[in-house]
Structure formats: C-alpha cells, structure tokens
Amino acid sequence: MGYDLKTYDSNEVSVTFAGRSIDTGRADGDFYTSEYNAETFTRKAGADGEQTRSKTNDRSATIKIKVMQTSDGHKLLMQLHELALASENGNDVAALEVNDLSGGLVERAAKAWIKKPPAATYGREAGEREWELECANLIREVVTA
C-alpha cells in the first residue's frame, strides 16, 4: 500500500496583518499560533441524564506571533501598536491572513487587533518577542488545488 509523501516548508507560510507581511525575522520553533476562545460545542445534561449539545457561534480567537527582537516584523508590529494607541474609534482594527502553501490551509480574520505588546526582555543573546492579537471571527479553511 503506497502513501503520499507530504513536505512542510515554514518558508511557505505567509502571515499578513494590516496589509503588511510578517514573513521575515520569525522566531525559531512555533512562530504562529491561533486558538479559538470558546468551545465549538457545549453539552448539558438534564435531570434524567438526557444529553443536549449546543453549538457555540463565538468564533473569536487569540493569535500569537513570535518574532526575533531585532526583526523587521517586530519593528512593524511596534509601529502598528503605536498607531493603535493613537487611534480613535477602533481605527486600528485590520485584516489578518495566514496561508500555508505547502499544506493548503488558510486562516483569516477581517477584524483583528493587537491585544497587547510583548514583554521586553534583554540578555546576552538576541531573544524572541511574542505578540498577542485577537480577532472577532477567525475563519479556517482547507484550500484544494
């Protein structure tokens, strides 16, 4: 029985926020993570043990982007954060898109924002900075060729 061989290449994962690419200076290891803030389904048991599940329509998510402290990606996120602090009426909300070309996966959010900047640490060697973003509705899809 033959199996298809799959190849993953981190250079084929593109991250775009506010129309700007964050594809260089990414941290070693996991440089992007996303997690929904709510469960997809919740379960409720009645007094007699009958079970009901309810679909949760909350698709908000927390996104973390790790970059090297000296990277252009970190500088870009710093600039976007400064703009967010100076903005009025939510003008800092922007689109986020992640494409994994080698896996055919896409994540996108029409409305994402910087939740908080990373902690600033300095040591003997250059370190990583983890930016935390949030979005109102994260869409994940598989793209077929």
Side-chain angles (χ1 to χ4, degrees), residues 10 12 19 28 32 35 43 54 62 65 82 85 131 133 136-137 140 142 144:
S10 65
E12 291 197 12
D28 190 24
Y32 175 89
E35 182 176 1
R43 182 190 52 79
S54 299
T62 300
I65 300 172
E82 289 299 318
L85 291 174
W131 285 86
L133 286 71
N137 184 32
R140 291 179 177 162
V142 177
T144 57

Side-chain angles (χ1 to χ4, degrees), residues 43-120:
R43 182 190 52 79
K44 180 80 173 181
D48 63 354
E50 184 175 315
Q51 306 285 310
T52 301
R53 76 175 191 164
S54 299
K55 181 180 177 189
T56 306
N57 293 308
D58 178 2
R59 305 312 291 156
S60 66
T62 300
I63 294 123
K64 295 181 181 178
I65 300 172
K66 283 187 184 178
V67 291
M68 297 301 296
Q69 74 183 57
T70 57
S71 71
D72 289 340
H74 177 57
K75 290 175 187 171
L76 169 65
L77 289 166
M78 287 290 292
Q79 292 169 344
L80 292 172
H81 183 252
E82 289 299 318
L83 288 172
L85 291 174
S87 76
E88 295 181 20
N89 301 321
N91 293 332
D92 60 314
V93 175
L96 170 81
E97 185 167 290
V98 179
N99 287 299
D100 178 359
L101 300 175
S102 61
L105 302 172
V106 174
E107 289 192 1
R108 69 178 185 279
K111 297 178 181 179
W113 57 92
I114 295 172
K115 183 175 179 180
K116 70 177 187 176

